[in-house]
Amino acid sequence: MATKTASSYRIQGDTGEWEVVIGLEVHAQITSQAKLFSGAATAFGAEPNSQVSLVDAAMPGMLPVLNGECIRQAVRSGMAIGAVINKWSRFDRKNYFYADNPQGYQISQLFHPLVGEGQITISLDEKDPEAEVKAIGVERIHVEQDAGKLMHDQHPTRSYVDLNRAGVALMEIVSKPDMASPAEAGAYLSKLRSILRYVGSCDGNMDQGSMRADVNVSVRKPGDALGTRTETKNVNSVRFVMQAIEYEARRQVEVLESGGRVVQETRLFDPDKGETRSMRSKEDAQDYRYFPDPDLLPLELDDAFLEECRASLPELPDAKRRRYEESLGLSAYNAAVLTAEAETARWFEALLAESARIQKKGEQEVARAAANWLLSDLYGALNRLGKGIEESPVSPEQGAELLALVADGTISNTLGKQVFEIMLETGDAPGKIVEERGMKQTSDTGAIEAVIAEILAKNPNQLEQYRGGKEALFGFFVGQTMKAMAGKANPAVVNELLKKALS
């Protein structure tokens, strides 16, 4: 049984409590139109072997040519986590034979990586300003090429090879073993993914394989030396990473408590069963015979290049969240949700900019109304439709126009929700819908007074009870008046005239 508090996570075994020690090696595909050492395309979902150059296929005499954009994106990623950028780095050959690796080696960086130490600050609850915060160390980011893909389900007796991914540029982001619970690992991976998406260096689409994690797990009694770790390869979702850690940590405790020993090995995670299983032992691991790649010169970066990289960085999620709270007056919860994903933040800022342009109100008032509408009405609709915010059928400009119509009293909040539903169905602008369907709110005191008089006449018992001291019935009269006027009456005017009529 696992137990946890705000600052600890323990597995309760038969012999007492056990700590979990976790490190992640995240492989993030670098956003680029071409591969790391060739001009072949990198689009997801292409026909097998349709994006393979002679370099990727390791034809004799083919030489790699470094894609500078991949280096730029990796440097920007390192800067975004406050890491050391090494002006001098070098590519190495990692030699091994496998069918999806036609070169017989992988070009990587072992001894002199492009990016050195940095850190990522996580919170176990990003929406709670009082939640515990922890800094997770990043040991390095190195650049390497991906391998191809073996396909075992295309023929009953043969395996096929798709080399579309061979040579695709990856950043391998290696954490320190600073995580001590599945929740911390999940928070770290989510935060890293968010930062890379803000920077634009990786799309973070884990379901497409453009970001995946190797999960290193060991267990120990509190205060003891580090235990033997296992590595679970290529886990492709935050939820699966957390499940793999939970299962693997419990498995290791059971092995140790039954008198066995944990074997250093590579494992695979089965998402259907929620289990890890052994893939291969690392105790007799082959020597990869690393040596400097003779076809590539060392990589030397100058100050002008580094300055350009730094200047190109966007406002990052932590800074944006602080600005939303301090300058825009948003709650910690709203600010955290709005900044968790780059697409949501961009949509909100487009909505806010257009709202500020057309409304004559203070920035904080406009921002709070925009945030509340986006997180309740728009998010609710998108959840129903099964769409992300980048697929929203309503644009930020249309949302701003709707908010302005509510803010200036043209329509009520209730009518605003009706207009929004019509916008979702038709794609029409809110102003057009209100005009064509006669949905404008009325502040005509004469018309409202006539309806109020009729409501009071129809409900003498409630009127008598109200005047006898049952003031809660005021809401009943408001509701009846709004219903009679099909929601088009100005609520403020209705309240004012009802108070006068009931007094």
Side-chain angles (χ1 to χ4, degrees), residues 201-480:
S201 58
C202 176
D203 63 27
N205 294 333
M206 300 187 76
D207 57 328
Q208 296 180 0
S210 58
M211 189 172 176
R212 53 193 192 266
D214 296 344
V215 185
N216 293 291
V217 176
S218 66
V219 297
R220 65 182 178 185
K221 286 294 183 70
D224 283 0
L226 290 173
T228 301
R229 66 180 173 87
T230 63
E231 180 183 41
T232 303
K233 298 285 286 185
N234 294 329
V235 187
N236 67 349
S237 85
V238 173
R239 181 165 60 91
F240 291 162
V241 164
M242 295 171 69
Q243 288 179 356
I245 293 167
E246 185 89 32
Y247 176 86
E248 181 59 19
R250 291 172 184 272
R251 185 193 71 83
Q252 291 184 19
V253 168
E254 290 175 4
V255 167
L256 293 169
E257 291 195 329
S258 65
R261 67 186 184 94
V262 174
V263 177
Q264 185 178 348
E265 62 181 347
T266 299
R267 300 180 68 85
L268 291 176
F269 177 69
D270 184 336
D272 295 325
K273 296 181 179 179
E275 299 175 354
T276 66
R277 65 174 186 272
S278 182
M279 179 182 175
R280 61 177 178 264
S281 171
K282 279 197 166 186
E283 291 204 312
D284 298 311
Q286 63 182 342
D287 179 3
Y288 289 119
R289 303 188 321 280
Y290 281 98
F291 63 86
D293 193 298
D295 292 333
L296 291 162
L297 291 170
L299 185 59
E300 297 186 46
L301 308 179
D302 60 28
D303 290 337
F305 175 78
L306 296 179
E307 185 52 41
E308 185 278 324
C309 289
R310 195 176 303 280
S312 72
L313 289 176
E315 183 181 36
L316 295 169
D318 285 351
K320 192 178 291 290
R321 183 175 62 183
R322 284 193 299 272
R323 178 169 65 84
Y324 283 6
E325 291 183 44
E326 295 167 7
S327 298
L328 300 183
L330 301 186
S331 68
Y333 175 87
N334 283 359
V337 176
L338 289 170
T339 57
E341 292 290 343
E343 290 82 1
T344 304
R346 292 184 191 118
W347 210 99
F348 172 68
E349 295 200 347
L351 172 69
L352 185 57
E354 183 65 11
S355 295
R357 187 185 70 80
I358 60 180
Q359 289 190 46
K360 307 301 181 187
K361 293 191 173 184
E363 183 182 43
Q364 289 197 353
E365 184 180 355
V366 172
R368 283 193 288 266
N372 289 336
W373 175 80
L374 189 157
L375 296 176
S376 56
D377 295 53
L378 182 62
Y379 260 22
L382 293 176
N383 286 337
R384 289 200 313 271
L385 297 170
K387 295 179 180 290
I389 199 162
E390 66 279 3
E391 306 169 290
S392 172
V394 172
S395 70
E397 292 73 24
Q398 289 176 322
E401 184 182 347
L402 176 63
L403 289 171
L405 291 172
V406 173
D408 67 13
T410 301
I411 56 176
S412 64
N413 278 314
T414 302
L415 286 172
K417 293 183 184 298
Q418 295 175 25
V419 172
F420 177 56
E421 291 300 324
I422 298 169
M423 291 165 65
L424 290 169
E425 293 174 14
T426 66
D428 288 343
K432 178 184 177 185
I433 293 169
V434 169
E435 194 65 40
E436 290 182 350
R437 305 197 183 206
M439 299 177 76
K440 283 187 178 179
Q441 178 173 262
T442 180
S443 297
D444 182 342
T445 56
I448 296 173
E449 284 175 336
V451 171
I452 288 174
E454 187 178 341
I455 296 296
L456 298 184
K458 285 182 178 179
N459 297 279
N461 290 337
Q462 286 86 347
L463 178 60
E464 183 179 348
Q465 290 175 46
Y466 177 83
R467 287 176 171 162
K470 197 172 181 180
E471 294 183 358
L473 282 169
F474 185 79
F476 165 78
F477 290 114
V478 171
Q480 291 297 305

Side-chain angles (χ1 to χ4, degrees), residues 64-192:
V65 177
L66 182 60
N67 180 345
E69 177 62 15
C70 295
I71 300 303
R72 177 177 175 273
Q73 294 286 26
V75 168
R76 295 173 72 245
S77 300
M79 289 176 170
I81 62 169
V84 174
I85 308 299
N86 296 319
K87 289 186 176 182
W88 191 96
S89 60
R90 190 180 71 194
F91 286 99
D92 304 297
R93 286 188 182 180
K94 176 183 180 181
N95 295 274
Y96 67 95
F97 176 78
Y98 206 62
D100 61 6
N101 182 25
Q103 291 171 310
Y105 58 85
Q106 176 191 31
I107 302 177
S108 183
Q109 294 182 311
L110 175 67
F111 300 109
H112 300 281
L114 180 64
V115 179
E117 292 192 359
Q119 69 174 31
I120 293 174
T121 302
I122 64 166
S123 169
L124 292 185
D125 186 353
E126 290 285 353
K127 299 166 189 175
D128 180 3
E130 303 300 323
E132 183 182 358
V133 171
K134 182 175 180 179
I136 306 298
V138 172
E139 186 176 297
R140 57 192 275 145
I141 301 177
H142 64 260
V143 179
E144 64 184 20
Q145 57 180 179
D146 205 354
K149 178 183 178 183
L150 283 173
M151 298 184 292
H152 304 292
D153 57 354
Q154 307 294 305
H155 191 277
T157 60
R158 298 177 180 175
S159 291
Y160 292 105
V161 181
D162 177 11
L163 295 180
N164 278 350
R165 289 199 63 87
V168 164
L170 301 177
M171 293 178 283
E172 181 167 345
I173 304 162
V174 183
S175 83
K176 294 184 178 181
D178 289 347
M179 290 161 274
S181 72
E184 287 185 7
Y188 168 85
L189 188 56
S190 296
K191 187 66 169 290
L192 173 60

